[in-house]
Amino acid sequence: MPRALLSVSDKQGLADFARGLADRGWELLSTGGTARLLRDAGLEVRDVADVTGHPEMMDGRVKTLHPAIHAGILARRDRADDLRAIEARGYAPIDLIAVNLYPFREAVESGATGAEAMEQVDIGGPTMLRAAAKNHAAVVALVDPADYAAALEALDAGGPDEPTRRAWAAKVFAHTAAYDARIAEHLAPAGRSVARDVAAETVRSVAAADAAPSGTTEAFEAREGDDSPGGVFPATLPITLVKVQDLRYGENPDQPAAFYAETGERGGLPSLEQLHGKDLSFNNLLDVDGALSAASAWSEGDRVACVIVKHTTPCGVALGDDVLSAYQRALACDPVSAFGGIVAVNQRLSADAAGAMAEHFLEVIVAPEFEPEAVEILSRKKNLRLLRIPGSTVSEGLDLKRVRGGVLVQKAMRMRFDESAWRPVCARAPTGEEEADLRFAWRVVASVKSNAIVLAADERTVGIGAGQMSRVDASRIAVMKARDRDVDLTGAVLASDAFFPFRDGVDAAAEAGVTAIVQPGGSVRDEEVIAAADEHDIAMVFTGRRVFRH
């Protein structure tokens, strides 16, 4: 009689699977709560303690860690010496393992810490699974309840074939690797997540940098130079990814793609709820991420913000009295580029705003909530994707970028904008109106691909220059975008994501009509740049913080 050992935390579908095995002549072995569940279902079950001849110990910490179990799993059926060895001890082969693990992740996410969390670290389960997966040529190793039905069908057909056994074994090793990585993330270092440690060290580094005079080269280097907190990263970085969904395709239709979530992280794009429209593509999610990042600059307050993104960078951003006015103002910045764009708003999407959006071709609209009438209006466009994202969209984790042969890791950019270190550096200080626009433009430029220049007026973008090889070219493109729509730039403000290396960017801004500039400062030519601003009667503010988005 073949034997199956069943010991699971997730008991979904187990009783039906066990009944299917029993009906096919299998002996069932089990432990603890799993054995009780099977007996309650009317099934005959043999306790593991009867097989081992040893009772469970220490509140169940030790129950399957015994040669009677592991020799039965690991015995090679094509090796006579293995079979003689287990027979000599009175052991018998175990032919199928169905095990899933203690809910460690769920325990930690519900607030378990210290000893309580450690009690949810499974030892026997991963050991049995790995043993069965190692010996998958002879033992069926199941970790996913979704595979139970297929396993029964395979048994009826004479047993799973080699590719199926390998696939299930691979799933086991992936599952136990993810499980161990989640535990490592919880424990290292000192029981805090790597992301939170990096965040804390970054805060300390920035605080130290603030001791230098704001806007000086020393302050810039303290924030951005070789003394940044690279040493807080561990020698080994455990990261576990779980597939959320397959995507329509990658950056191009001939590239298959999928979306994975990082375990242990809450919120963000994995929490998106699609209300309507075609399946998402790789590019859709990249653009949605860029749009939400930009909109999150105003998520902490009650300002209504709208961001329109194309190719991961904003082409229009505006604040408004309501969602409709914010959208109309953002669209006016660059309606040509907005064609086929992604729209994100930081407030409940109203029906009147939905009506205005329905007049244009858009790929995705994302909001924290939608009025029912807004969903009805926008659902008339068959392919338009409507996404609801609950909660905060601000990342506190790590930013990972794939490169050939490795991964670059950094603390995610803080889309929070402390102005305590801001310092006017020119003869003329900004007016109150200019200050409001500088504050707005600085938040926008942090989400624009570098080199980035943003022109703004009345808390809306009027020209954006993004992704250029020189800063002066980014300035010229931003001006061109405005002039293409006959926008008078007199009185506009300019934000630059990094310092001006030469005065030419300031000269170009002045020629266009800009009257105030916000930038990090920190160039060896700061005095030359300040002098150029003074020549043109431009107010200039140094933030002491660079917001490059490479």
Side-chain angles (χ1 to χ4, degrees):
M1 179 183 291
R3 297 199 301 171
L5 197 160
L6 314 177
S7 181
V8 298
S9 173
D10 178 1
K11 296 177 173 56
Q12 176 185 353
L14 184 73
D16 290 340
F17 178 55
R19 184 172 289 105
L21 291 173
D23 290 345
R24 289 163 174 80
W26 284 64
E27 180 183 14
L28 305 181
L29 314 179
S30 193
T31 61
T34 304
R36 287 193 296 273
L37 177 142
L38 297 178
R39 290 189 178 106
D40 289 345
L43 295 166
E44 184 176 344
V45 181
R46 186 178 180 190
D47 287 328
V48 162
D50 292 339
V51 175
T52 63
H54 201 291
E56 294 184 9
M57 295 175 60
M58 299 178 289
D59 299 323
R61 277 194 164 204
V62 178
K63 48 193 173 188
T64 60
L65 297 172
H66 192 281
I69 300 300
H70 290 282
I73 297 171
L74 286 166
R76 290 162 290 191
R77 305 321 195 249
D78 59 349
R79 289 277 296 268
D81 54 337
D82 279 11
L83 297 178
R84 285 195 300 269
I86 63 172
E87 184 178 3
R89 295 286 182 179
Y91 305 154
I94 295 174
D95 306 292
L96 182 148
I97 293 290
V99 173
N100 50 61
L101 309 178
Y102 293 171
F104 177 82
R105 175 178 60 83
E106 292 82 354
V108 171
E109 290 182 355
S110 67
T113 59
E116 185 180 11
M118 288 299 97
E119 286 305 312
Q120 294 302 321
V121 174
D122 202 329
I123 302 300
T127 307
M128 289 189 292
L129 281 171
R130 288 173 59 84
K134 176 177 180 175
N135 201 23
H136 66 269
V139 181
V140 176
L142 300 177
V143 72
D144 186 353
D147 294 326
Y148 292 164
L152 292 175
E153 291 177 6
L155 293 175
D156 289 338
D161 58 19
E162 175 62 13
T164 302
R165 289 174 177 271
R166 285 176 61 90
W168 286 340
K171 185 180 285 190
V172 163
F173 285 115
H175 184 78
T176 56
Y179 190 79
D180 286 343
R182 185 68 184 91
I183 296 167
E185 170 69 8
H186 175 72
L187 290 174
R192 299 186 302 274
S193 76
V194 171
R196 287 194 294 273
D197 268 5
V198 172
E201 186 61 29
T202 301
V203 169
R204 289 192 289 272
S205 175
V206 170
D210 284 341
S214 174
T216 65
T217 300
E218 290 79 7
F220 181 83
E221 288 177 348
R223 294 173 186 274
E224 308 290 346
D226 292 338
D227 292 331
S228 358
V232 303
F233 291 95
T236 301
L237 181 61
I239 296 173
T240 309
L241 304 177
V242 178
K243 188 164 75 171
V244 176
Q245 65 186 98
D246 291 311
L247 301 174
R248 292 184 68 224
Y249 48 77
E251 287 182 294
N252 299 289
D254 62 336
Q255 295 173 266
F259 176 36
Y260 285 77
E262 186 177 351
T263 60
E265 291 293 320
R266 298 184 180 184
L269 266 58
S271 66
L272 285 170
E273 177 187 359
Q274 184 164 355
L275 306 179
H276 176 73
K278 291 192 299 186
D279 291 340
L280 292 164
S281 73
F282 186 94
N283 292 344
N284 291 152
L285 286 174
L286 284 176
D287 287 335
V288 166
D289 187 61
L292 289 172
S293 177
S296 71
W298 292 276
S299 62
E300 73 277 5
D302 58 1
R303 303 304 304 274
V304 181
C306 177
V307 178
I308 305 175
V309 159
K310 198 71 175 291
H311 301 294
T312 74
T313 204
C315 60
V317 184
L319 304 183
D321 295 329
D322 50 41
V323 174
L324 174 60
S325 65
Y327 169 69
Q328 291 171 330
R329 284 157 56 82
L331 180 66
C333 175
D334 191 350
V336 174
S337 295
F339 181 83
I342 279 69
V343 175
V345 296
N346 68 343
Q347 305 283 343
R348 180 183 175 93
L349 189 74
S350 59
D352 56 356
M357 292 177 187
E359 296 175 3
H360 299 88
F361 171 57
L362 301 171
E363 287 277 0
V364 181
I365 299 173
V366 57
E369 293 290 346
F370 289 76
E371 289 183 1
E373 189 178 350
V375 175
E376 180 183 349
I377 292 168
L378 294 169
S379 295
R380 296 168 192 162
K381 300 178 81 70
K382 179 181 177 181
N383 294 328
L384 176 62
R385 303 162 181 88
L386 306 181
L387 304 178
R388 186 180 75 86
I389 184 160
S392 173
T393 62
V394 180
S395 173
E396 295 292 348
L398 298 178
D399 183 15
L400 283 67
K401 288 183 168 59
R402 184 77 163 88
V403 295
R404 293 180 185 274
V407 176
L408 300 174
V409 181
Q410 64 179 350
K411 174 69 180 71
M413 181 186 286
R414 295 169 293 124
M415 292 300 285
R416 294 181 175 86
F417 302 92
D418 180 9
E419 298 170 16
S420 61
W422 286 26
R423 183 170 68 97
V425 294
C426 285
R428 184 176 73 79
T431 66
E433 188 174 298
E434 287 171 337
E435 282 185 358
D437 283 337
L438 290 172
R439 187 175 296 114
F440 168 82
W442 183 245
R443 282 162 169 73
V444 175
V445 81
S447 62
V448 176
K449 283 293 185 80
S450 58
N451 284 321
I453 294 292
V454 169
L455 296 172
D458 192 24
E459 295 185 311
R460 66 185 179 94
T461 55
V462 293
I464 298 174
Q468 298 307 301
M469 287 68 74
S470 75
R471 195 156 299 280
V472 69
D473 282 347
S475 299
R476 289 169 179 153
I477 289 173
V479 171
M480 178 196 72
K481 288 284 190 180
R483 286 180 173 167
D484 282 350
R485 293 175 291 106
D486 296 323
V487 174
D488 183 2
L489 290 175
T490 303
V493 307
L494 179 150
S496 174
D497 62 347
F499 60 65
F500 285 98
F502 305 100
R503 64 170 290 162
D504 53 3
V506 176
D507 292 331
E511 182 183 353
V514 166
T515 60
I517 293 174
V518 59
Q519 59 133 320
S523 168
V524 295
R525 294 185 176 86
D526 272 350
E527 294 307 317
E528 177 185 328
V529 171
I530 293 169
D534 281 335
E535 287 178 24
H536 299 296
D537 195 32
I538 289 177
M540 185 180 290
V541 174
F542 281 5
T543 67
R545 174 192 177 192
R546 193 177 78 177
V547 287
F548 236 38
R549 185 169 175 243
H550 214 48

